[in-house]
Amino acid sequence: GFGVPQPGQGHLAVGQLFEVDDRTLVAMDSLERVTEPQWYSRQAITVRPRKGGEVLTAWVYFGSPERLALEAVHAGPVPEHR
């Protein structure tokens, strides 16, 4: 599954943060097909650690809303991605 950017809507997501260098980020963009229509876009979001601490800005890959409309199965929100 994948998230779709809808500011002010949806559910909180729990996940993991990884620090990567610019070269790895370019490789991930290629893997996620950010230059192809109806695939993914990379956007900055604000994240808060569950146990407190500094609020951070992180990159996240969102699926395109057009692609979501084409998917046959919608599982709904997943409380935690592992």
Side-chain angles (χ1 to χ4, degrees):
F2 54 88
V4 176
Q6 295 178 320
Q9 298 181 31
H11 302 271
L12 292 177
V14 177
Q16 296 176 325
L17 291 177
F18 297 92
E19 186 172 352
V20 298
D21 59 23
D22 290 341
R23 182 177 172 189
T24 303
L25 195 56
V26 168
M28 290 173 62
D29 284 350
S30 178
L31 178 70
E32 299 295 353
R33 299 174 160 182
V34 297
T35 61
E36 297 181 33
Q38 296 187 359
W39 278 93
Y40 293 91
S41 64
R42 178 168 46 95
Q43 297 179 30
I45 63 167
T46 301
V47 297
R48 290 185 299 267
R50 290 172 86 176
K51 296 181 180 180
E54 182 181 350
V55 174
L56 304 168
T57 299
W59 291 113
V60 65
Y61 290 94
F62 285 113
S64 79
E66 297 83 11
R67 183 170 169 219
L68 179 63
L70 298 174
E71 295 288 328
V73 177
H74 299 275
V78 176
E80 187 167 341
H81 179 73
R82 296 177 187 205

